[in-house]
Amino acid sequence: MERNKGLSNFHTHCGLDDGTGTMEEYVLSALSKGFDALGFSCHAPGTLNDGWHMKKEDFPYYLEEIDRLRNLYRDRIEIYVGLELDFLDDTEELVGNEYRDQLDYTIASVHVMKHAKSDTYLSIDGPIEEFETLLHDNFNGIIQQFVGHYYEMVERMMSLYSFDILGHCDVIKKRNGENRYFDPSAPWYAKLTKSMLKAAKKHKVRIEVNTGGIARGATQESYPSVEMIEECAQLGIPLTLSSDAHQSSHIDFYFSQADDQLVQAGYRNIDILQHGMWQSVSIV
Ligand SMILES: [Zn+2]
Ligand SMILES: [Zn+2]
C-alpha cells in the first residue's frame, strides 16, 4: 500500500555522526519521495565520545544547517531538529538530554552497557565482539540475564525520563540472527517484552517501528517484532514509523510493507510531527 499523505521520518542520521552524506542530501531525498516532514536525529554528543556520536563542537553547525534547510525548503517540506539520546545503566544519565530545549523532539535509546572489567561502555548493537564481551564478562554467558538487563534498562529509562520516541525497543535481538543466542518465542522472552510494553503504556511512551535493521541487513524484521506490534495494538500504544536512515536513499526503506503490517496488527493511524505538534495521521 502506498500512502500519499503524512510521509515522514524522524529518525535520520547523517555525516555528522555514523551516517553518510550531508543533511541537504537527506532533504533532497525526502523531497523526491514526496515527504511532508523530515526530522534529523544524530547520536547526541556528550559522555559517549566515540566514532558514532556527533562531536560536541559540531552541534552549533547542526542547528544552523537545519535552520538554513528549513528556511530554504520551507514551502515544500517541514524540517525538524532532534537528537537520539543514550541511556547509561550505571549513572542513569540520558546523554544529550541537556540539549532538549534547543530541539523539536528527542528519541531515547539503549545502545550500550557498562563493561565492568574495563570500565568502558560497549555497544549491544555494534560489533559482535562487544556483544559477546558483555554477554560473557557481565552475565557469565547467560543470555537471559543479558536480555533481561537490556529490558530493565529500557523500563528504567522510561520511568526516569520523558522523551518523544522510544528508539528500536527490541534492538537486543540485532545479533540474534537465526536465533543464534535465544528463541524469541520462549516464554521468558515474551515475559520481558510484555513487561516493557506495559511500562511503556503506563508512562505514555510513543514507540517507533524502526526499519533500519532491515535496511542494513542486520535483521529480517522491524524493531519491534510483529508480535510486539500486535501487543502494542492491544495496549493502545501510539506508534510512529522510522527508517533510522544512515544514508539518504534509505529514508523510506520498507515503509509501505511496514504500513501493511501495522494495518494488519490493527492500527489505523500513526503519529507524526506536523505543524510543530505530534499528530495522529491515517495510514489506511
Ligand atoms: Zn539507535
Ligand atoms: Zn538511530
Side-chain angles (χ1 to χ4, degrees), residues 114-119 122 129-142 145-146:
K114 189 72 167 268
H115 177 233
K117 255 189 197 169
S118 65
D119 202 30
L122 297 183
E129 296 76 24
E130 295 191 18
F131 181 94
E132 288 267 348
T133 302
L134 285 169
L135 172 62
H136 291 290
D137 291 352
N138 281 20
F139 303 98
N140 293 317
I142 304 168
Q145 284 186 12
F146 188 7

Side-chain angles (χ1 to χ4, degrees), residues 42-61:
C42 271
H43 292 291
T47 306
L48 299 174
N49 195 9
D50 50 30
W52 50 280
H53 287 79
M54 180 171 28
K55 290 190 182 73
K56 218 171 211 162
E57 57 266 33
D58 286 336
F59 185 66
Y61 168 76

Side-chain angles (χ1 to χ4, degrees), residues 11 13 18 41 43 52 84-86 107-111 125 167-168 171 208 210 216 244 246:
H11 195 152
H13 297 275
D18 60 344
S41 60
H43 292 291
W52 50 280
E84 185 174 8
L85 315 178
D86 278 272
I107 302 174
S109 301
V110 171
H111 297 109
D125 65 335
H168 42 63
V171 76
E208 68 169 355
N210 177 318
R216 291 191 278 172
D244 201 349
H246 286 70

